[in-house]
Structure formats: C-alpha cells, structure tokens
Amino acid sequence: MQERTVDVAIIGSGTAGLSAMAQARKAGKSFVLINGGEPGTTCARVGCMPSKAMIQVAEDYHRRTHLGKYGIDGHEAMTLDITEAMEHVQDLRDTFVDRVLTNSTDDMPEDLFIQDYARFLEPTLLAVGSGEDERRIRAGAVVIATGSTPLVPAAWRSFGDKILTTDTLFELEDLPASVAVVGLGTIGLELGQSLHRLGVKVTGFDQQARIAGLRDPVVSDAAIALMQKEFPLHLGVAADIEADGDGLRVRAGEHAVSVERVLCSIGRVPNIGHLALESLGVPLDARGLPPFDANTMQVADLPVFIAGDVTGQRQILHEAGDEGKIAGFNAARGERRAFRRKTPLHINFCDPNICAVGERFDALDPATTAVGEIKFAPVGRALIMGKNRGVLRVYADKADGRLRGMEMIGPKGEHLAHLVCWCIQQGLTVGELLRLPFYHPVIEEALQAALYDAYAKVDAKNEGLTELAPLP
Ligand SMILES: Cc1cc2nc3c(=O)[nH]c(=O)nc-3n(C[C@H](O)[C@H](O)[C@H](O)COP(=O)(O)OP(=O)(O)OC[C@H]3O[C@@H](n4cnc5c(N)ncnc54)[C@H](O)[C@@H]3O)c2cc1C
Ligand SMILES: NC(=O)c1ccc[n+]([C@@H]2O[C@H](COP(=O)([O-])OP(=O)(O)OC[C@H]3O[C@@H](n4cnc5c(N)ncnc54)[C@H](O)[C@@H]3O)[C@@H](O)[C@H]2O)c1
C-alpha cells in the first residue's frame, strides 16, 4: 500500500476547496487535492450559473406580457422553443464549467489532483480507494470542503426520476407539463417561478407559513401576495408525495395536486457520507458534523479545517470562498488565526428579487430598533420600468442610528442589497447615509425613502441640514 506525506490535503475541489488550494500554493506548501464526483464546482455545474441562466430566459420571455402596454404589437404571438432554451442553459453551463476546470484542475498532474472519494483513518491520515488500490495520505493538516447535496427523503427516492432536484433539472431536454415545487426557500422560488414563466403548470408547497426564509412578516406577506399572482402556493403544512398513475400526487393538509414531476427543494445536506468523520475522534452532532470555529474554520482542536456548504451553515458562494481561504490559510501556515466574517447577504434571484441583509428582523429587539419602510408602488423609476411592486424595510439602532439590517422584495434588489450590506459593514448610520448623493430617477431613491422613514424614528440626528454637512 502506498503512503505519501504532504503539508496540506484538501478534500473537495469545489469553490471552497479551490480557494483553500490557492492558499497552500501561496504559502509554498506541498498539497494534494482530492475530489470524488464530478469536478467543475456545484456553482458552475448545477448551482448558481445554470439556475441564473434559466431565470434569465424565463424573465425575458415573461417580459412579453408587458409589451402590449407600450403599443408593441405581436407579443401575443411570441413562442418559446423549450428544447432550444434548455440547450442555451446547458451551453452556458458548459462554458462556466470549462472556465473553472481550465483555471483549476485541468492541467494538474495525477499526484496533485486525485479523482476519488477520501475518508479519514485518523485526523491527519486519509485513505483513497480500497483493497489493493488503496492509497494513504499523511497530511500536516486537512481541509474538508466536500459541499452539499439536495435533500430527498428516502421514501421519495423510490419515485426515481419523477423527483427532480437541481442535480437533474438542468439536464432536461424538455420540461414536464406540470410540476409541484416542494420547498419554497431560495431554490424553490427561483426555479418554481422560472418553470411557471417557461410554461409549466407549477404548484408550490412549503411547510412554513413564510417563503424564501424571510423573517419580517411585512416583507413575507408582500412576497407571498406577489408570488401567488403567478402560481398557487400552499403554505404552513408539510407536503407528502404518493404515486399517481404515471405521475405523482402531492398532498399538504387539505390541498392536493396531481403532477408529472416534483421539484424537491427542501434544503441541502452536507456531503459527509464517504468521510468516516468518526475517525476524527471528536463528538459529532445530530447531522454527523464535528464542532468547528466559524472564524478560524478549525475543527475542534485538531489540525483539521472545514469550509463551504459542508458546514451546513452559510451555503452561498462567496462565503464558501471566504471559508476556503481561512481554512487554507490556517492549514498551510500551521496557524489558528481568527478572521472577521462579512455582513450576511442573501439574494434570491426570483422576480422581483427577495433579499435579506445583516441582522434578521426576528433577532432584533423592537424596543431598541427603528424600522423604515417604503412600498415600491409609487417609486418613479420602478413605475417607469413596470416593476413597481414590493416593499423594502431597513432596521436601525434607535439610539445611535446605525443601520443593522434589511429585508425586501422589489426591483433590482440584488443591487440595493449590496449597497445596504456595504453600509452596514462600514458601520454607517442612517443620518450618514442620507448625506450621500442619490441620483434621480433611480431605484436607490426607494432606499433613500426608507432611510428617511427610519431617520424620523432614531434619536441620532444630523447637525444643520439633514442631507448636507456644514463646513467646519
Ligand atoms: C441551484 C443552486 C443555485 C445556487 N445559486 C447560488 C447563487 O445564486 N449565489 C450563491 O452565492 N450561491 C448559490 N448557490 C450555492 C453555491 O452554489 C454553494 O454555496 C457553493 O457552490 C458551495 O461550494 P463548496 O465548495 O462548498 O461545494 P462544491 O462546489 O459542491 O464542492 C464540493 C466537492 O467535493 C466533492 N466531494 C464530496 N465528498 C467527497 C469526498 N468524500 N472526497 C472527495 N471529494 C468529495 C464533491 O463531489 C464536489 O466536487 C446555489 C446552489 C444551488 C444548488
Ligand atoms: N440565490 C442564492 O444565493 C441561492 C440559490 C439557490 C440555492 N442557494 C443555496 O442553496 C441552499 C438550499 O436551498 P433550498 O431552497 O433547497 O433550501 P432552503 O433551506 O432555502 O429552503 C427549504 C424549504 O423547504 C421547506 N420544506 C422542508 N421540508 C418540507 C416539506 N416536507 N414540505 C414542504 N416544505 C418543506 C422549508 O420550510 C424551507 O422553506 C440554500 O441554503 C441557499 O443558501 C442559494
């Protein structure tokens, strides 16, 4: 049996693993990257990129429904060739995957990039393969970056390919006539709405009374009202599925629907099946995960680090990249340096965008929090765009006026969420923000209006004119 020694072993060549590998390279350390499953990253293969490509096609096609208002004729006759649309999604996906592979593992020799599943024998001893083919790797430190997989309950797996997940949806050449979307979190809303706009008869189910993981009841109610205009949502009861002829029947309380297929979007579970994490010798939680520090990414007090979706916590791309960097930095340098994490930022690319930034509404104390609100209905630019729907709510500290969070559903939310996130991370107050320029007519004027509303409720007021600082 072969055994070799490296400074750092990285398990998983997704965004987090590649980011960790860059740190090992930078530190001039020997390393090995081990990846089971398809390389090319979840983001490019089956995640961010194909989903956004599908959303774009759906949104552009849906836009035709507005064109009659401007006197643009012929929009009713527009049709969509689903096969071509899916080919376009797949072509774009392949471009993104190729780009990742070209810039990462394509030219890596076999001894640096092992394509197989790794498992722990000891905290710093890994095995790859089995029997006579087993290879062992002794590492100074290990980074676990094995990502996550769609959660499909065992009972539903017996329905085979009638259950779609994001691992299979983008592969389809044609779309089913009807789909029940079970789980209306990020994936369910983004893709449920897209499928509906591409002509599929969609019915949505979520066991919670809110959608998209929203915590602010005002924003959630607005989101439900807007989405329900497009396709029916059944909320507050867990859905179950049974066979129904050639299709499936989805039932939640008194609601039931027969469909060709179900999109199962009830969350993603950490990929730990192959890892034999019990060999780490530390207690594992109910999901089978070891304890770790979110600022050092260190697992217990071991020379083992964890990063990306496998942590089961911040399952989004830029956080996976940051965690890979932290884990790789500490693993390669033998350090336990703690790094400040970025202000939370969540963007759901459904239309209008649903966003959550900073501290969540239900975690704030109403007695010390000022809430500023704007509805998009009268916002000039939104009206011109034909997208004046939704609501934006900012949360500020009542005493010092510091911005703490935001939830919204509205046009160009992806951009507004970034602005608010950057301001929170910079520690800016509502008064300071109102002294920044706002052009006219732009969507940012909606944020300005919400800030004015919050400003009226905070104690910290600007000296002189609200919008202009006096010269010294
Ligand atoms: C449909 C969808 C849309 C998304 N959209 C967005 C978005 O718009 N914006 C955003 O920020 N995030 C989005 N995300 C989330 C984002 O894609 C993930 O957070 C990110 O890709 C996670 O990267 P990772 O490196 O942790 O995991 P991955 O990229 O999954 O990499 C893990 C790798 O480890 C391999 N592996 C597993 N077990 C082992 C083992 N034992 N040994 C060796 N290798 C192993 C896997 O095969 C995989 O190649 C989306 C996700 C999905 C599913
Ligand atoms: N735009 C983005 O950033 C983006 C896009 C897609 C995915 N992602 C990432 O992927 C992860 C997984 O997404 P997801 O949407 O699968 O998970 P999620 O956790 O966001 O939502 C799952 C939903 O399923 C519901 N649910 C669970 N069991 C149910 C049942 N039996 N019946 C009805 N409803 C049920 C839950 O109440 C929840 O609302 C997210 O955490 C997100 O970070 C991000």
Side-chain angles (χ1 to χ4, degrees):
M1 174 177 324
Q2 293 177 33
E3 179 169 324
R4 54 191 273 231
T5 303
V6 293
D7 294 323
V8 184
I10 300 148
I11 314 175
S13 70
T15 304
L18 292 174
S19 180
M21 180 176 79
Q23 290 300 315
R25 271 210 176 112
K26 200 169 166 188
K29 295 300 167 78
S30 64
F31 66 86
V32 63
L33 180 66
I34 308 163
N35 189 73
E38 283 286 307
T41 77
T42 286
C43 171
R45 280 191 320 105
V46 290
C48 327
M49 306 316 264
S51 62
K52 262 77 269 174
M54 188 184 248
I55 289 168
Q56 189 65 49
V57 175
E59 216 172 302
D60 287 349
Y61 185 51
H62 180 73
R63 190 71 190 156
R64 79 192 184 291
T65 60
H66 288 263
L67 300 181
K69 288 186 196 147
Y70 314 148
I72 301 177
D73 283 339
H75 58 279
E76 303 94 339
M78 286 171 82
T79 56
L80 177 70
D81 183 325
I82 290 291
T83 311
E84 271 187 50
M86 292 308 286
E87 266 172 30
H88 168 74
V89 169
Q90 289 150 11
D91 285 350
L92 274 179
R93 183 230 15 227
D94 293 346
T95 303
F96 291 118
V97 171
D98 279 353
R99 200 177 285 173
V100 169
L101 292 175
T102 309
N103 292 323
S104 58
T105 50
D106 261 1
D107 294 328
M108 278 172 71
E110 256 177 62
D111 60 324
L112 284 192
F113 182 45
I114 300 174
Q115 299 207 46
D116 205 339
Y117 289 95
R119 62 186 185 281
F120 283 92
L121 299 175
E122 298 167 18
T124 55
L125 182 62
L126 300 175
V128 179
S130 58
E132 284 184 5
D133 294 334
E134 184 176 300
R135 283 180 278 175
R136 291 187 175 187
I137 294 143
R138 173 73 65 186
V142 179
V143 175
I144 305 167
T146 51
S148 64
T149 303
L151 168 63
V152 181
W156 298 359
R157 277 185 228 134
S158 62
F159 301 123
D161 64 4
K162 288 194 197 114
I163 301 283
L164 293 166
T165 69
T166 47
D167 281 353
T168 53
L169 177 70
F170 307 115
E171 283 298 325
L172 297 180
E173 286 170 13
D174 197 3
L175 293 177
S178 57
V179 166
V181 176
V182 178
L184 296 167
T186 323
I187 291 178
L189 269 192
E190 284 188 352
L191 296 175
Q193 186 187 44
S194 293
L195 289 171
H196 158 75
R197 289 180 170 193
L198 293 171
V200 177
K201 189 170 171 15
V202 171
T203 310
F205 293 87
D206 201 293
Q207 63 190 10
Q208 295 182 46
R210 298 197 181 140
I211 57 172
L214 285 164
R215 312 280 177 81
D216 185 326
V218 175
V219 182
S220 179
D221 287 352
I224 291 169
L226 280 174
M227 291 299 148
Q228 225 150 16
K229 282 189 184 155
E230 295 202 38
F231 57 97
L233 310 180
H234 302 300
L235 304 177
V237 184
D240 211 351
I241 307 173
E242 59 196 50
D244 182 24
D246 287 343
L248 297 170
R249 189 150 179 88
V250 180
R251 194 183 299 279
E254 65 196 34
H255 300 287
V257 63
S258 293
V259 287
E260 274 185 28
R261 290 189 171 190
V262 165
L263 174 65
C264 181
S265 47
I266 61 172
R268 294 179 62 86
V269 280
N271 288 330
I272 52 172
H274 296 271
L275 286 172
L277 289 176
E278 59 283 359
S279 305
L280 293 176
V282 297
L284 304 177
D285 68 16
R287 294 168 306 169
L289 288 172
F292 71 94
D293 182 302
N295 298 102
T296 62
M297 303 317 293
Q298 185 183 13
V299 170
D301 58 356
L302 301 171
V304 175
F305 300 84
I306 190 164
D309 277 18
V310 66
T311 63
Q313 293 193 353
R314 306 168 204 224
Q315 294 185 322
I316 43 179
L317 186 94
H318 68 277
E319 297 284 7
D322 285 352
E323 290 175 358
K325 243 175 224 160
I326 297 172
F329 180 97
N330 281 329
R333 289 163 205 262
E335 291 191 27
R336 306 291 179 260
R337 200 166 316 167
F339 291 87
R340 195 185 301 280
R341 300 300 298 268
K342 291 174 186 157
T343 299
L345 170 63
H346 299 277
I347 298 169
N348 182 322
F349 291 88
C350 60
D351 173 33
N353 297 161
I354 294 177
C355 308
V357 177
E359 291 173 75
R360 303 305 297 264
F361 181 77
D362 56 354
L364 292 167
D365 177 358
T368 59
T369 306
V371 178
E373 179 179 314
I374 174 77
K375 292 195 169 64
F376 282 90
V379 175
R381 186 59 187 272
L383 200 57
I384 290 165
M385 288 159 53
K387 289 179 176 275
N388 56 327
R389 303 170 302 150
V391 61
L392 181 156
R393 306 228 307 162
V394 291
Y395 320 127
D397 185 279
K398 237 182 209 166
D400 66 15
R402 249 181 342 105
L403 204 56
R404 298 182 69 172
M406 177 195 75
E407 275 193 16
M408 67 165 288
I409 173 165
K412 297 202 186 281
E414 63 176 282
H415 303 299
L416 294 175
H418 274 88
L419 289 184
V420 171
C421 187
W422 295 344
C423 293
I424 293 174
Q425 193 164 316
Q426 292 299 314
L428 298 182
T429 66
V430 176
E432 285 166 333
L433 285 173
L434 287 172
R435 284 191 163 165
L436 298 173
F438 287 83
Y439 213 81
H440 177 71
V442 293
I443 282 295
E444 285 73 6
E445 286 174 309
L447 174 60
Q448 186 186 33
L451 291 170
Y452 272 122
D453 191 30
Y455 186 71
K457 299 167 189 167
V458 300
D459 298 336
K461 304 287 190 211
N462 291 342
E463 185 202 338
L465 294 173
T466 297
E467 300 79 3
L468 298 163
L471 284 172

